[in-house]
Amino acid sequence: MAGKLDIRRWSGVLDVGQSLSGVVLALFLWTHLLLVSSILLGPEAMSWVARNMELAFLSDDGHGYPWVVSLIAIGVGLLAAFHVLVALHKLPLSLRQQKALKSQMQVINHSDTRLWSWQAGTGIVILLLLPVHLWLVGSAPETIGPVGSAQRIWGEYGYLIYLPLLLTVELHAAIGLYRVALKWGAARDLNTRARLRTIKTVLSVLFVGIGLAALLAFLPHTPA
Amino acid sequence: MKLIYTDCLVVGAGLAGLRVAIAAKERGHDTLVLSLIPAKRSHSAAAQGGMQASLGNTVKGLGDNEDVHFQDTVKGSDWGCDQTVARMFAHCAPKAVREMSHWGVPWTRVTKGPREVVVNAERITINEAEAAHGLINARDFGGTKKWRTCYTADGTGHSLLYAVDNKAISMGIPVHERVEALHIIHDGERCHGVVARCLITGELRAYIAKATTIATGGYGRIYEVSTNAIICEGIGQALALDTGVATLGNMEAVQFHPTAIVPVGILTTEGCRGDGGLLRDKDGYRFMPDYEPEKKELASRDVVSRRMTEHMRKGKGVDSPYGPHLWLDITLLGRKHIETNLREVKEICENFLGIDPAKDWIPVRPTQHYSMGGIRTTPTGESPQLKGMFAVGEAACWDMHGFNRLGGNSLAETVVGGMIIGKYVADFCDNNDLVLDTGLAQGFVDKARAEIDALIDGEGRENAWQLKAAMQKVMMDYVGIFRNGPELDEAVRQLKSLLERAANLGVTCKKRHANPELVEALRVRRMLKVALTVACGAAARTESRGAHAREDFPQRNDKDWLCRTLASWPDPKALEPRLSYEPLDVMQMELPPGYRGYGADNAIAHPDTARREAEIADILAKLGDNASREARQQALMPFELPESLRPANERLSDRLHGGVSGKTQLTNDNAPASNTAGDDNS
Amino acid sequence: MSGRILTFNIFRYDPQEPGDKPKMVQYQLAETSGMTVFIALNRLRQEQDPSLQFDFVCRAGICGSCAMVINGFPTLACRTLTAKYPKGEITLMPLPGFELIGDLSVNTGKFMRELAERLQLWLHPKGGDMDIHRLEDPMAPEEAAKLYELERCVECGVCVSACATKQMRDTFVGAVGMMKIARFELDSRDGRSADDFYHVIGNQDGVFGCMTLLGCQDNCPKDLPHMQQIAYLRRKMASTLL
């Protein structure tokens, strides 16, 4: 069957791609959040993390290469763009579809469908906010650090982006992973599914908590 | 007038109707099916337990063959059936089961090695043969000598209906859904199709066909409580009555199933008892062995239902707001068995009773279940009076059931009868032209339109639902399991008065398209006539035979009543059907009337019985001991079948012993004539 | 629970009646013990409004005719006990996603027939010995049992109406279509290959359009394993990509 990748099979490839890109993005997201939340252990910890992310251990002067961060930002941006493109055509794009969906959801009470509508809604918010975030850090990678980040978040009103982004992205990622798991058959029975759903909620709450704590932790470092 | 032409028109898209449609289509005839509902919703789907066919794969079916199945069927019918038809049926049943397998039915299969089953309240181990592994399994059902009922868990009807409808879809057979036939178009001798009304748009259409097959099922809903789907209202029988010439056979033969849940009357399959379930009274006592020491819970349905009623009349029923009932105990089968082989039963118990049948006993009571009577046909399925009108399945009185049907023989009749009669229908289409008399068709369309106009625009004030409820109550109260002269006369009197009132029906909802009240009003008149054929037939038949049990005439009377009741309605204004009788010829029988094996042997013998028995002994003696069972059978009662269905059925035992002839030593004790006294139990 | 007065809010609309508009109409009915929505609707029609349209056939949860949305959940009305609703308020809506015949009656039959024709939902025998007079081919008992498990679908339409994906995409085959494909895919008597099935459901209208919202799984009155079966098909179809 190898090599028979005709046009009809694209929908399969795209569907697999959507799941895979989503999983990678979610894993990146949580790693990223954990790294940023190193601020909770103190400014030194965060500086160390930021240095190492810039591959400081490879450079002679120990300052690393800030463009590595820009590269990561570009990579994430591309992956996210792919994810959006494949996901988008599953959303109700026409007015007719939106009406049908709305009337069905009004008549039928189903929590996983509501979860999905949350996922779709948060996806659209992320679509708007993520590019801003990526631009802010990608264009000035050298500023990442306790003070630079604090300035961006609290001094330059970045929290107006970061707070909603944190909330939406954590909901979106956890719901997404839960759905990917079910989609490919991780839950053999309904008890497993209930457990997965609990794990999903715990993950969302946990990471939103960590994220909020980290954002607040930057506050004292804001330059006057 | 909208006219639609086809070669083969089938009214009713249950198993029997679809099977006929497929047979006609296979032979290249244009085929069209009409149905009140989508085909897969037909009442065939509700048959849970299984269909009988003498495959003999399971060790408990070893030695089974057409002869044993034939004998069980005839005895079960209390000698009321047409033995030729019973023979045609028993011969083709294994073929139908195998054909269904090719069409996709996932028959439950035999697993080799030891298996624990419950027989007579005890767990015993049976050992299935290595060679039988993966072949079609069978379970035990009432009134059969062998385990012969092939099944898919307890959804056999569902699986069969889906496989057959899928086959029909694959062949591109159109089903006009939500269409109700109102009149048969005929000229008194030949049937030309039907007038039908679309239940959505209200449009009247004339469907013109070479052959018209009625496959509309039974008439259970003339009773207040019935296991039947609510569409089983006897409309097919009413269509035939409406012609004035076609006859209905044995309408008084109505079966009551022993185990429908109380109060809603939903069936729990006979498989519950076949698999080892027990009946208990209010003291938890297992009472059936007291009445029927040999067959116990697995006596014929009519017998078990009567014994249950007797026991409740002795005050042993469990009191409930809905009257007394008894218990069906399947807890001893174990949860695993219930959750795999009796799943639908479990669902029904959970949803309608809120109980867990693996822990709790199920409240049950005998309830109207099956119509042995129906449109009288010849063995080829055609009406003897109206050429080109066929009937098949429960709608028909093809007459393999006589006065009582064995469990598992109705589902079998749908696909076996459909298979055989379908070929005769196709023959008819080959040999006859489409006759198009638009004037005749217009006449029947006008008649239907006039009836609808009168209901909508007329002055009638009678309410259809009230009349129907009154009729159903009369049938419940006076034409039930036990019957007697005064009550039957009362039933006839009240039904006639209801039929008179039905002339004054009117509807308050004036829509001419989708109008449930109009549908009801059109049906209730027709149903009343059907109910009258049942009540009048029962009142006239002064004997007890099979499911027709007269308290005032408790004996089976072969001398005076070895005959089939025929009902027709020549005068549309009359308040009663015309009854006539068609004798059953003992001298043609392979199995002359004998003892059925239940209760006292008190039948009044037919004068020919002894003569025929002597003749049979003589014929068999002349054939000698070496004659095959097929040769012996042919010598006693030759029967016809379409050529493609004549070959012998191969069985596992043939393969193991070599040859397809079926000459196995296993069958000696089941030879055709070694019937009668008390060998009903093994 | 008998003795209560139940309040029914029922969707009413007759698309064939000129000038009729969709509306909710309220009815009251005294509850009786063991009352189901089947019993209640019939009494409402016989006693209060003879024009009320709905579909019942077996009234035993077997035939799949009577699916409707009851207080927000699509299910079989015949086996829904009114006692289940402690407030005594019952709202009935027709199944969304099907052609409306009138009031609570929708045309599921037409939908299912078209789906069967489109997806070829029947056994395509491998060929071989189809002689009905000879001993049948054996089948593993476990396979037969598994096939029956998947075959218990009654085509009630609940999964279709509960599926938001299906509402947005008319051509989507829905859980009922996929469940049936899974049933034939599993059947050793069926001659179609994974590739053949891929042509039918390996696309946006099939497993790759399904968003795993699981309205099918959560509402199926027969508790069919939609979640597992669709995931199984998806893996199977995805594996043909390699």
Side-chain angles (χ1 to χ4, degrees):
Chain A
M1 212 106 31
K4 274 209 293 180
L5 198 65
D6 59 58
I7 195 148
R8 260 198 324 273
R9 293 179 181 250
W10 278 27
S11 57
V13 173
L14 293 181
D15 201 45
V16 175
Q18 188 191 346
S19 291
L20 274 180
S21 60
V23 170
V24 171
L25 285 168
L27 293 178
F28 171 81
L29 166 76
W30 288 332
T31 316
H32 163 58
L33 191 77
L34 288 176
L35 293 175
V36 172
S37 61
S38 57
I39 189 70
L40 293 169
L41 302 176
E44 295 75 20
M46 196 209 167
S47 300
W48 184 83
V49 167
R51 270 202 313 280
N52 280 301
M53 283 307 291
E54 291 163 6
L55 308 181
F57 48 90
L58 290 182
S59 70
D60 300 335
D61 60 0
H63 278 110
Y65 311 99
W67 51 264
V68 170
V69 173
S70 303
L71 270 187
I72 293 177
I74 291 168
V76 167
L78 287 177
L79 197 58
F82 170 75
H83 187 72
V84 169
L85 281 178
V86 282
L88 210 58
H89 70 266
K90 290 190 177 158
L91 294 184
L93 298 179
S94 74
L95 193 65
R96 192 205 65 77
Q97 287 178 314
Q98 283 162 18
K99 267 172 75 177
L101 180 68
K102 193 174 157 218
S103 74
Q104 193 251 9
M105 288 187 67
Q106 273 170 355
V107 172
I108 290 180
N109 172 5
H110 183 245
S111 63
D112 268 37
T113 304
R114 276 196 303 275
L115 266 187
W116 168 77
S117 69
W118 275 95
Q119 200 189 1
T122 53
I124 288 168
V125 175
I126 296 167
L127 177 64
L128 299 173
L129 298 182
L130 184 65
V132 183
H133 171 55
L134 289 177
W135 174 256
L136 287 180
V137 288
S139 60
E142 68 285 352
T143 62
I144 295 176
V147 178
S149 296
Q151 168 66 10
R152 190 165 35 248
I153 296 166
W154 298 111
E156 293 158 12
Y157 302 101
Y159 67 89
L160 292 179
I161 301 278
Y162 285 124
L163 274 177
L165 188 60
L166 174 71
L167 286 174
T168 51
V169 89
E170 292 304 344
L171 281 178
H172 188 90
I175 298 173
L177 278 197
Y178 161 73
R179 197 178 314 289
V180 166
L182 296 184
K183 194 167 177 176
W184 296 96
R188 292 223 157 267
D189 55 65
L190 295 179
N191 287 335
T192 319
R193 176 176 162 209
R195 247 194 326 275
L196 285 177
R197 217 181 134 137
T198 313
I199 294 172
K200 165 205 76 76
T201 311
V202 168
L203 283 176
S204 281
V205 171
L206 185 71
F207 281 108
V208 167
I210 294 175
L212 283 178
L215 284 176
L216 285 175
F218 278 108
L219 197 54
H221 303 284
T222 315
Chain B
M1 175 175 62
K2 181 157 176 181
L3 276 173
I4 295 169
Y5 315 99
T6 184
D7 294 328
C8 171
L9 177 69
V10 180
V11 185
L15 274 171
L18 289 172
R19 185 63 191 83
V20 166
I22 290 167
K25 184 81 179 182
E26 268 172 344
R27 294 259 293 271
H29 298 295
D30 187 58
T31 301
L32 179 62
V33 183
L34 307 184
S35 178
L36 288 175
I37 52 168
K40 285 192 173 84
R41 313 247 186 264
S42 303
H43 187 52
S44 306
Q48 299 168 351
M51 78 174 260
Q52 287 201 41
S54 57
L55 297 177
N57 291 324
T58 167
V59 65
K60 298 289 269 181
L62 207 64
D64 201 2
N65 60 35
E66 297 84 357
D67 297 341
V68 193
H69 191 183
F70 165 77
Q71 290 164 27
D72 282 345
T73 303
V74 174
K75 287 181 193 173
S77 80
D78 220 354
W79 277 270
C81 73
D82 181 332
Q83 296 197 5
T84 307
V85 169
R87 261 294 167 190
M88 295 164 75
F89 161 76
H91 182 77
C92 294
K95 302 181 198 307
V97 168
R98 288 167 178 165
E99 180 176 70
M100 289 302 132
S101 184
H102 298 315
W103 292 2
V105 172
W107 294 110
T108 299
R109 303 288 172 141
V110 176
T111 307
K112 68 185 170 194
R115 172 162 70 107
E116 211 172 58
V117 296
V118 178
V119 175
N120 193 18
E122 279 173 43
R123 284 187 172 271
I124 62 162
T125 302
I126 59 175
N127 215 336
E128 296 287 6
E130 171 101 30
H133 186 76
L135 298 179
I136 294 169
N137 206 349
R139 58 167 39 136
D140 199 7
F141 252 41
T144 65
K145 263 189 164 177
K146 303 283 179 185
W147 289 24
R148 189 189 296 128
T149 306
C150 306
Y151 63 103
T152 53
D154 63 350
T156 319
H158 170 90
S159 278
L160 282 172
L161 181 62
Y162 273 51
V164 172
D165 186 46
N166 289 344
K167 177 79 181 173
I169 294 172
S170 79
M171 296 173 79
I173 297 172
V175 178
H176 289 194
E177 294 172 3
R178 296 178 187 264
V179 167
E180 176 154 26
L182 295 176
H183 292 295
I184 284 170
I185 301 170
H186 69 99
D187 51 23
E189 283 168 8
R190 168 88 198 262
C191 166
H192 300 291
V194 302
V195 171
R197 176 174 177 270
C198 173
L199 296 177
I200 299 177
T201 63
E203 178 183 51
L204 287 175
R205 305 171 191 153
Y207 288 88
I208 310 289
K210 290 180 182 174
T212 304
T213 304
I214 309 291
T216 50
Y219 43 88
R221 285 285 159 181
I222 60 173
Y223 287 83
E224 189 177 3
V225 184
S226 165
T227 64
N228 289 187
I230 57 169
I231 53 165
C232 301
E233 300 190 305
I235 297 304
Q237 288 82 4
L239 284 172
L241 268 188
D242 176 65
T243 64
V245 289
T247 50
L248 307 183
N250 287 345
M251 291 295 282
E252 65 272 31
V254 175
Q255 181 173 78
F256 290 76
H257 193 289
T259 58
I261 63 170
V262 177
V264 284
I266 295 170
L267 181 72
T268 59
T269 171
E270 184 153 326
C272 290
R273 283 170 293 132
D275 291 359
L278 305 176
L279 292 169
R280 299 185 186 278
D281 65 15
K282 69 173 182 184
D283 306 318
Y285 176 70
R286 184 186 174 197
F287 58 92
M288 276 308 291
D290 295 353
Y291 294 98
E292 298 295 337
E294 296 287 346
K295 294 293 273 183
K296 305 178 183 75
E297 281 84 357
L298 286 173
S300 259
R301 284 181 179 173
D302 58 326
V303 176
V304 179
S305 289
R306 279 199 293 275
R307 296 309 196 185
M308 289 170 75
T309 308
E310 264 182 81
H311 202 62
M312 285 190 283
R313 284 181 177 179
K314 287 181 188 163
K316 292 291 184 184
V318 185
D319 287 322
S320 83
Y322 306 97
H325 65 77
L326 293 161
W327 299 113
L328 172 63
D329 173 12
I330 59 170
T331 59
L332 67 166
L333 307 185
R335 183 170 296 280
K336 182 161 176 284
H337 183 91
I338 293 171
E339 286 179 355
T340 50
N341 284 319
L342 298 170
R343 267 190 85 139
E344 308 297 329
V345 170
K346 183 168 179 277
E347 267 189 21
I348 286 165
C349 287
E350 286 169 350
N351 289 313
F352 294 94
L353 297 168
I355 63 166
D356 174 2
K359 276 193 345 227
D360 309 313
W361 295 348
I362 308 167
V364 296
R365 164 164 76 202
T367 301
Q368 193 288 334
H369 179 59
Y370 188 80
S371 316
M372 273 78 72
I375 300 169
R376 179 67 189 135
T377 72
T378 62
T380 59
E382 192 173 5
S383 162
Q385 293 85 23
L386 269 188
K387 212 174 152 231
M389 184 176 94
F390 292 78
V392 65
E394 194 176 350
C397 181
W398 189 33
D399 218 3
M400 55 168 277
H401 304 304
F403 276 77
N404 174 60
R405 167 179 74 79
L406 292 185
N409 259 358
S410 63
L411 202 53
E413 185 191 11
T414 61
V415 284
V416 177
M419 181 185 213
I420 299 170
I421 291 167
K423 293 193 193 295
Y424 289 123
V425 169
D427 288 348
F428 185 90
C429 293
D430 280 340
N431 301 328
N432 289 276
D433 292 323
L434 190 72
V435 180
L436 180 58
D437 182 341
T438 47
L440 186 72
Q442 185 68 56
F444 282 98
V445 171
D446 290 345
K447 191 172 158 191
R449 181 162 293 126
E451 187 179 3
I452 292 166
D453 287 346
L455 285 168
I456 290 179
D457 303 327
E459 302 293 308
R461 288 287 170 271
E462 290 286 356
N463 176 294
W465 283 297
Q466 283 167 8
L467 286 191
K468 184 171 162 186
M471 167 193 71
Q472 289 171 326
K473 187 154 184 346
V474 170
M475 295 304 288
M476 278 307 268
D477 291 348
Y478 304 130
V479 199
I481 296 178
F482 284 105
R483 302 163 176 182
N484 62 59
E487 287 187 355
L488 288 169
D489 292 342
E490 179 62 18
V492 171
R493 193 188 63 74
Q494 290 195 21
L495 289 172
K496 281 160 78 171
S497 124
L498 288 171
L499 184 59
E500 265 184 319
R501 281 171 60 191
N504 196 29
L505 273 167
V507 294
T508 55
C509 175
K510 303 292 184 190
K511 290 178 185 173
R512 283 174 190 273
H513 58 272
N515 180 345
E517 192 185 13
L518 178 63
V519 171
E520 204 65 31
L522 288 167
R523 281 183 194 167
V524 74
R525 278 183 188 153
R526 289 162 169 76
M527 290 175 80
L528 273 165
K529 288 191 172 177
V530 172
L532 270 157
T533 63
V534 177
C536 291
R541 185 173 280 271
T542 49
E543 65 149 357
S544 292
R545 183 180 297 273
H548 174 68
R550 287 281 298 252
E551 291 164 313
D552 41 356
F553 298 94
Q555 287 168 293
R556 189 180 89 204
N557 183 349
D558 292 337
K559 184 159 92 46
D560 302 313
W561 285 104
L562 196 59
C563 59
R564 191 173 289 120
T565 309
L566 297 178
S568 63
W569 210 292
D571 173 11
K573 296 266 181 290
L575 293 177
E576 276 188 71
R578 180 157 81 197
L579 297 183
S580 58
Y581 294 91
E582 175 186 4
L584 302 181
D585 186 357
V586 176
M587 296 311 288
Q588 302 295 322
M589 288 183 184
E590 183 178 332
L591 194 63
Y595 175 52
R596 223 179 136 201
Y598 303 112
D601 180 10
N602 60 357
I604 301 168
H606 191 281
D608 285 347
T609 304
R611 224 155 50 94
R612 176 63 178 164
E613 276 169 355
E615 191 177 62
I616 288 172
D618 197 36
I619 294 170
L620 292 178
K622 277 190 193 139
L623 281 174
D625 288 342
N626 292 328
S628 70
R629 63 182 181 87
E630 289 87 350
R632 280 139 60 99
Q633 195 284 319
Q634 278 296 314
L636 294 180
M637 191 185 74
F639 63 97
E640 289 291 313
L641 271 175
E643 189 163 356
S644 59
L645 298 176
R646 281 181 212 156
N649 296 305
E650 188 193 30
R651 291 191 175 76
L652 182 62
S653 54
D654 301 319
R655 264 203 198 170
L656 297 177
H657 301 131
V660 190
S661 71
K663 258 186 278 180
T664 76
Q665 64 275 41
L666 297 166
T667 58
N668 283 346
D669 58 328
N670 304 320
S674 72
N675 63 82
T676 59
D679 65 349
D680 202 1
N681 321 298
S682 57
Chain C
M1 295 284 261
S2 65
R4 290 195 302 174
I5 299 294
L6 299 172
T7 302
F8 286 87
N9 293 297
I10 301 181
F11 175 89
R12 299 298 310 268
Y13 176 49
D14 181 353
Q16 292 183 77
E17 186 76 359
D20 197 23
K21 291 239 165 28
K23 57 186 175 291
M24 298 300 292
V25 177
Q26 204 171 78
Y27 302 88
Q28 312 238 297
L29 188 69
E31 189 175 37
T32 51
S33 79
M35 185 182 253
T36 58
V37 175
F38 161 71
I39 296 170
L41 279 173
N42 274 290
R43 280 195 44 203
L44 286 176
R45 178 152 84 188
Q46 286 166 26
E47 296 162 16
Q48 302 188 29
D49 190 338
S51 68
L52 186 57
Q53 291 186 63
F54 47 78
D55 295 318
F56 287 97
V57 177
C58 77
R59 62 83 179 84
I62 293 166
C63 75
S65 300
C66 64
M68 58 183 73
V69 185
I70 306 178
N71 284 1
F73 295 96
T75 190
L76 299 180
C78 70
R79 60 177 215 192
T80 302
L81 297 164
T82 54
K84 213 177 127 184
Y85 304 99
K87 282 191 196 151
E89 287 224 10
I90 297 173
T91 299
L92 303 176
M93 303 283 291
L95 284 189
F98 293 96
E99 177 188 305
L100 182 77
I101 291 173
D103 304 335
L104 301 171
S105 173
V106 293
N107 207 335
T108 49
K110 185 176 161 194
F111 175 94
M112 295 296 169
R113 168 96 187 200
E114 285 169 3
L115 187 74
E117 285 170 352
R118 188 175 130 214
L119 302 184
Q120 306 212 323
L121 298 176
W122 55 82
L123 190 79
H124 290 51
K126 272 184 178 146
D129 191 4
M130 299 278 278
D131 186 342
I132 58 173
H133 313 298
R134 294 175 61 82
L135 199 64
E136 65 274 11
D137 290 334
M139 172 189 268
E142 304 75 31
E143 181 189 333
K146 203 154 177 218
L147 285 177
Y148 176 67
E149 277 305 298
L150 299 187
E151 204 173 71
R152 294 175 67 249
C153 168
V154 295
E155 299 193 354
C156 60
V158 160
C159 59
V160 172
S161 73
C163 176
T165 312
K166 170 73 197 165
Q167 305 295 316
M168 291 186 288
R169 184 188 284 274
D170 276 336
T171 48
F172 184 60
V173 302
V176 55
M178 288 190 271
M179 186 56 85
K180 283 167 186 278
I181 290 283
R183 180 241 173 276
F184 290 112
E185 200 273 336
L186 196 78
D187 195 324
S188 62
R189 296 168 297 188
D190 198 292
R192 284 171 286 187
S193 65
D195 224 37
D196 294 331
F197 288 118
Y198 194 101
H199 285 288
V200 185
I201 55 157
N203 50 40
Q204 283 300 313
D205 286 337
V207 284
F208 298 125
C210 163
M211 298 192 291
T212 321
L213 306 181
L214 299 181
C216 52
Q217 173 76 62
D218 296 337
N219 292 289
C220 175
K222 292 283 154 185
D223 293 322
L224 292 176
H226 296 281
M227 181 175 73
Q228 293 96 317
Q229 284 308 316
I230 297 173
Y232 163 79
L233 278 183
R234 189 179 284 113
R235 291 197 303 271
K236 187 103 189 167
M237 294 298 114
S239 71
T240 67
L241 293 170
L242 302 172

